[in-house]
Amino acid sequence: MTNGATVEDLREWVRAFARRIESNKDLLTELDAAIGDADHGANMHRGLTAVVAALGDPGLDTPAAVVKKVGMTLVSTVGGASGPLYGTFFLRMGGALGDAQPVPPETLAAALRAGLDGVVARGKAEAGDKTMYDALAPALDALDEALAAGEPWPAAVRAAAAAAEAGRDATTPMTARKGRASYLGERSVGHQDPGAASTALLIASAVDALGADRERSTTTAGAAGDDSAP
Ligand code: ADP
Ligand code: MG
């Protein structure tokens, strides 16, 4: 996208996330086995499989409707800490998308930040607590900075993805202070946070779906159908 995200762009973002979760399911579970209870890959895979199925529900014809549906589906299908946190992220994001179609880049960035604010309101994580926050917050800071500097959306979303990966990697030396991993205290040091890893996949998926240098033209039913497998 260049000038804004269409409803199909946002659907494709979610499908791209589902594909990345599917291919990284075992990695996410291994990360969670080290400092949690070895279910993050399974939790996210179950949730995103349900989300892709729910994208076929009738009436999901606005960006806000699609993104809110994602949130509701994650809340009801993903257990643990990550279900309510990711669910809240998408619900709050959907609530901030407004009615403009396509969604302008600044509105999309503000909606993503509303999602982050929801994660914080729900989980009370701060920078350095070794959670998904540590990937998401730097990503959205990088996105805002790039847009404020006049960068085009594709460059801004690539900067966000790079910042998410750096934030994910920076969780490894941290001591967990939130969630299950916090029970380990200093024994959580030396392991990457699974939620930060899945969040980096979410932002990478935005590059997949929303980061092209030209407007998407694959709005035919055939192209959408080919992409819909999780
Ligand atoms: P559970 O810990 O209940 O098994 P998951 O394994 O699916 O849930 O998710 C664990 C991830 O959730 C952690 O790696 C961390 O990134 C994230 N998380 C846990 N608690 C919080 C919190 N309070 N705020 C933000 N993220 C959190
Ligand atoms: Mg877990």
Side-chain angles (χ1 to χ4, degrees), residues 32 37 39-40 43 80-82 85 119 123 125 131-132 178-180 193-196:
D32 198 31
D37 56 353
D39 65 355
H40 190 58
N43 285 345
S82 57
L85 290 165
V119 169
T131 70
M132 60 191 291
K178 286 286 182 307
R180 231 174 248 286
D193 178 62

Side-chain angles (χ1 to χ4, degrees), residues 82-150:
S82 57
L85 290 165
Y86 270 103
T88 300
F89 172 80
F90 283 102
L91 283 168
R92 292 281 189 101
M93 180 185 172
L97 277 171
D99 296 326
Q101 287 195 56
V103 182
E106 289 71 20
T107 306
L108 195 53
L112 287 161
R113 188 162 291 280
L116 171 66
D117 292 346
V119 169
V120 171
R122 181 129 209 157
K124 310 279 183 279
E126 296 174 11
D129 283 351
K130 196 180 182 97
T131 70
M132 60 191 291
Y133 178 96
D134 292 308
L136 191 53
L140 301 189
D141 288 347
L143 184 67
D144 287 347
E145 276 166 32
L147 291 176

Side-chain angles (χ1 to χ4, degrees), residues 35 123-131 133-134 171 173-186 188-189 193:
I35 58 170
K124 310 279 183 279
E126 296 174 11
D129 283 351
K130 196 180 182 97
T131 70
Y133 178 96
D134 292 308
T171 63
M174 291 174 185
T175 305
R177 288 193 297 251
K178 286 286 182 307
R180 231 174 248 286
S182 67
Y183 308 156
L184 293 181
E186 288 186 3
S188 65
V189 170
D193 178 62

Side-chain angles (χ1 to χ4, degrees), residues 3-228:
N3 299 319
T6 64
V7 66
E8 184 52 29
D9 288 331
L10 290 163
R11 287 168 168 273
E12 182 50 27
W13 175 41
V14 172
R15 288 193 292 255
F17 185 38
R19 288 193 295 269
R20 282 184 178 268
I21 288 292
E22 162 120 55
S23 34
N24 289 278
K25 168 165 63 99
D26 294 343
L27 169 68
L28 295 173
T29 287
E30 278 167 35
L31 294 174
D32 198 31
I35 58 170
D37 56 353
D39 65 355
H40 190 58
N43 285 345
M44 295 301 289
H45 185 244
R46 182 171 61 251
L48 270 299
T49 301
V51 161
V52 169
L55 288 180
D57 287 4
L60 301 180
D61 43 18
T62 66
V66 167
V67 170
K68 285 181 195 169
K69 184 73 182 183
V70 172
M72 285 184 286
T73 306
L74 292 177
V75 167
S76 62
T77 58
V78 183
S82 57
L85 290 165
Y86 270 103
T88 300
F89 172 80
F90 283 102
L91 283 168
R92 292 281 189 101
M93 180 185 172
L97 277 171
D99 296 326
Q101 287 195 56
V103 182
E106 289 71 20
T107 306
L108 195 53
L112 287 161
R113 188 162 291 280
L116 171 66
D117 292 346
V119 169
V120 171
R122 181 129 209 157
K124 310 279 183 279
E126 296 174 11
D129 283 351
K130 196 180 182 97
T131 70
M132 60 191 291
Y133 178 96
D134 292 308
L136 191 53
L140 301 189
D141 288 347
L143 184 67
D144 287 347
E145 276 166 32
L147 291 176
E151 296 274 355
W153 171 266
V157 75
R158 284 195 296 269
E165 288 178 6
R168 172 201 66 197
D169 294 345
T171 63
T172 299
M174 291 174 185
T175 305
R177 288 193 297 251
K178 286 286 182 307
R180 231 174 248 286
S182 67
Y183 308 156
L184 293 181
E186 288 186 3
R187 281 180 292 139
S188 65
V189 170
H191 302 281
Q192 189 180 102
D193 178 62
S198 59
T199 296
L201 298 176
L202 175 70
I203 309 300
S205 306
V207 177
D208 299 342
L210 309 173
D213 280 309
R214 54 192 165 72
E215 288 295 312
R216 279 174 58 83
S217 55
T218 50
T219 52
T220 62
D226 289 346
D227 285 351
S228 64

